[in-house]
Amino acid sequence: MSTPAITLWSDSDFFSPYVLSVYVALQEKSLPFTLKTVSLDNGEHLQSTWKGYGQTRRVPLLEIDDFQLSESSAITEYLDERFAPPQWERLYPHDMQKRARARQIQAWLRSDLMPIREERSTDVVFAGVKKPPLTRAGEASAAKLFDTASALLAHGQQNLFGEWCIADTDLALMLNRLVLNGDDVPQALADYAEFQWQRSSVLRYVALSAKRAG
């Protein structure tokens, strides 16, 4: 079966954690795609001529033939349904409850922990920038992250659900905002984040941002 023409739109710096999630999903599915960029700094995503203007005017934007979709978790869920096993690899657990839990984790990481996202922007992860100590709000948010992640990983395995899923990449990214800044992170969580960051699909995206920064 031939695959359709797929285009992934990214920020031009490759700093978006949400582009990372979709990029990794496409890589894990072994789907060929074209990577295009739009400059958020220059406001190109707000121009009516951009393909994503009629969606949410944000990256990532996925184009498959004449269908366009934004918002990363919506994209990864769509990819997992459209390009389903056994021909393609899974992005979400097969078990219904575990799959629901993975989606819960994704939604939580995108809607909560704002102090971490503000005080540890992804230039820490993708450009090696170092930030000042966390504020009280940042410390409280980090404590919540650590407590929740520790409970999710209490089984002691290297992946959330026994085998990799896309929520592992998303959780590792949030933890690495702190780990790679040199903040105090529980060792088990730091080890988990480091393990997830060695996945080849993740390393390919990290190389894009490093090349851009260089």
Side-chain angles (χ1 to χ4, degrees), residues 73 76-78 80-81 92-93 96-110 161 165-167:
S73 59
T76 55
E77 289 181 33
Y78 171 75
D80 215 30
E81 291 179 5
Y92 292 88
M96 182 181 296
Q97 291 186 349
K98 291 180 179 179
R99 190 162 65 248
R101 184 73 69 204
R103 289 168 172 165
Q104 173 195 307
I105 293 166
Q106 286 189 298
W108 171 59
L109 293 170
R110 286 158 173 74
F161 305 107
C165 78
I166 192 65

Side-chain angles (χ1 to χ4, degrees), residues 88-99:
W88 288 280
E89 294 296 321
R90 290 187 183 279
L91 300 178
Y92 292 88
H94 174 73
D95 177 80
M96 182 181 296
Q97 291 186 349
K98 291 180 179 179
R99 190 162 65 248

